[in-house]
Amino acid sequence: MSKLTLILLCWGLCFSVYAQNLGPDCERIVALPTSTAYLTDFDGLSSGERSEQTQNQLSELIRSKLNDFQAESLAEYLYVEFTIDRKGQVANFFCDDESIAAHLAAQLPDFPGFIPATYRDEAVCSRLGFEVSTLAPAPELAIDPADIHRVVEQMPLFYSEGCSEDAPYRDRKTCAEGEMLMAIYGNVKYPAAARAARIEGMAVVSFLVSTDGSAYNHVVVRDPGGGCGEEALRVVQTYLTHWIPGTEDGVPVNVQFNLPVKFKLE
């Protein structure tokens, strides 16, 4: 076998890995373009900024498109990959969950246009892929710090239909704390990194319980590491959403609430 034949054979094998036939609109994908595709809104930014802003905006859009799925049917993170054709249009989706890919594909007209990837100054078909968090961003509320209390006559209580609203505060508090602990420890998952490193400890999530019982401005203020803080935040943000507001002189007030979540290996 001549050297030229060997080079051509190797080139053909490599090309078969990096190119894929996709029909008349996108005959092949270029896996290593000179410049990657990005949203038209970010034309004029540097290459790194374009990529970052494109991923952020697409992540938010994809997350919004998944609102129709039940939360329990979604993984916390999804890897989504899609094709951008030479005209800058999203051509198709790839995802481990075929139903999600089909759901996103049905909404292709809602996706914005791209500046297509280029190779040797020519527009080419390319693929973009990244991990998307299915968790909704923590809600935020702008409020005057002077209007936030830390200790009040009756502190906020986790709302549960299983606790009577007509019972004395002490009884309601006992019931609410029990329901809250079940919500936390029935859903918390020990982070793999923390388990591998034998990390134990207390994570503390701080958030604002407003006068209408909504929870805002979640932040981890104590983190033993190994992903424990992130997991505590996920559980609190996802499962402890409704509260009975704290009161002062019988009037609902905004209260800064600190909630500990304990991580202990069995």
Side-chain angles (χ1 to χ4, degrees):
M1 183 181 293
S2 69
K3 184 175 181 180
L4 176 60
T5 302
L6 182 60
I7 291 174
L8 291 174
L9 177 61
C10 290
W11 181 87
L13 290 173
C14 291
F15 189 79
S16 68
V17 173
Y18 291 116
Q20 179 176 340
N21 291 329
L22 294 173
D25 294 331
C26 224
E27 295 178 356
R28 61 176 61 89
I29 289 175
V30 176
L32 299 174
T34 307
S35 65
T36 58
Y38 59 91
L39 291 175
T40 55
D41 290 348
F42 307 123
D43 198 15
L45 299 180
S46 68
S47 176
E49 290 174 328
R50 290 196 306 253
S51 296
E52 181 180 357
Q53 293 298 327
T54 293
Q55 180 172 333
N56 289 342
Q57 184 166 319
L58 286 175
S59 293
E60 290 299 322
L61 179 59
I62 291 172
R63 182 162 40 234
S64 71
K65 297 299 182 184
L66 296 177
N67 286 339
D68 295 341
F69 282 79
Q70 295 296 322
E72 58 267 22
S73 70
L74 287 175
E76 293 170 20
Y77 293 91
L78 296 173
Y79 184 78
V80 178
E81 196 172 83
F82 47 94
T83 302
I84 308 299
D85 66 21
R86 290 187 295 268
K87 297 178 182 178
Q89 300 300 313
V90 179
N92 47 40
F93 283 92
F94 303 86
C95 182
D96 290 338
D97 189 319
E98 293 182 1
S99 64
I100 292 177
H103 178 75
L104 293 174
Q107 301 180 68
L108 284 177
D110 295 337
F111 279 75
F114 283 76
I115 301 296
T118 61
Y119 183 71
R120 294 181 178 176
D121 297 326
E122 292 187 6
V124 295
C125 294
S126 64
R127 225 176 243 178
L128 289 180
F130 47 83
E131 198 172 55
V132 177
S133 170
T134 62
L135 302 177
E140 296 186 2
L141 178 66
I143 191 168
D144 188 339
D147 293 332
I148 300 175
H149 300 256
R150 294 190 175 275
V151 179
V152 293
E153 290 178 353
Q154 293 189 353
M155 292 294 288
L157 299 177
F158 174 59
Y159 174 77
S160 172
E161 293 182 353
C163 298
S164 172
E165 296 184 26
D166 298 326
Y169 175 76
R170 180 176 295 182
D171 294 339
R172 288 188 288 124
K173 182 174 183 292
T174 300
C175 180
E177 288 177 347
E179 294 289 320
M180 182 177 67
L181 290 176
M182 285 194 291
I184 293 173
Y185 295 107
N187 292 289
V188 72
K189 300 175 183 178
Y190 215 106
R195 186 180 296 278
R198 308 294 297 176
I199 294 175
E200 298 181 333
M202 191 77 72
V204 178
V205 179
S206 183
F207 54 95
L208 177 72
V209 178
S210 69
T211 55
D212 67 359
S214 300
Y216 296 95
N217 305 356
H218 298 72
V219 62
V220 177
V221 295
R222 181 177 176 182
D223 185 358
C228 292
E230 291 87 345
E231 176 62 9
L233 180 63
R234 181 191 72 83
V235 171
V236 172
Q237 181 186 333
T238 305
Y239 298 101
L240 306 183
T241 56
H242 301 296
W243 293 75
I244 297 173
T247 60
E248 187 73 27
D249 295 327
V251 178
V253 293
N254 300 306
V255 179
Q256 190 69 32
F257 196 85
N258 292 334
L259 182 58
V261 179
K262 187 176 183 180
F263 290 85
K264 185 174 177 59
L265 293 167
E266 298 178 355

